[in-house]
Amino acid sequence: MNRLNHIFNTLNANTSTMSKGLVLITGVNGYIAAVAAKHFLDHGYAVRGTVRKQRSVEDLIDGPLKQYADAGTFTTVEVPDITVDGAFDEAVRGA
C-alpha cells in the first residue's frame, strides 16, 4: 500500500467541490483502477466504483481517497457476481 500512497501523493490534487460529472470505474479496488479513480477525483469528477466485496475497498476509503469518500464524491457499489442479470443496475443508475 505504500507504493500506492506514494503515487497518490505525487498526483496533482484538485479538491474542487463542483463535480464535472460521474465516472463509473469497475474493480476500483485494483491498482490501475484506483489510480484512475484518484485522477478523476483530483480533476473534479465524482467517481462511483464497483467491487466484489465492500471490505476490499476499505483501505482506499480509509486512506488515499478518504477526503473524497467523506465528501461523497467517491462512492462504491458491491457487485458480487457480474454474471447475474442486472448485476450493474445499481452501479450505473445516474451515471
Side-chain angles (χ1 to χ4, degrees):
M1 198 58 157
N2 285 338
R3 185 173 177 201
L4 188 59
N5 282 330
H6 173 70
I7 289 174
F8 286 148
N9 290 334
T10 60
L11 292 173
N12 181 22
N14 175 8
T15 57
S16 171
T17 58
M18 291 295 291
S19 175
K20 292 181 179 179
L22 178 62
V23 175
L24 176 65
I25 300 179
T26 60
V28 75
N29 57 313
Y31 181 79
I32 293 172
V35 171
K38 177 73 162 104
H39 180 79
F40 280 112
L41 289 161
D42 285 345
H43 288 85
Y45 292 87
V47 171
R48 180 180 302 149
T50 67
V51 292
R52 289 190 184 182
K53 295 181 181 182
Q54 190 63 33
R55 72 175 177 259
S56 68
V57 76
E58 289 174 0
D59 284 343
L60 288 174
I61 292 172
D62 295 335
L65 302 183
K66 183 173 178 33
Q67 69 180 351
Y68 300 108
D70 290 347
T73 56
F74 177 65
T75 58
T76 58
V77 176
E78 189 173 81
V79 181
D81 184 355
I82 66 172
T83 65
V84 174
D85 285 342
F88 287 91
D89 287 356
E90 181 183 348
V92 299
R93 192 170 294 125

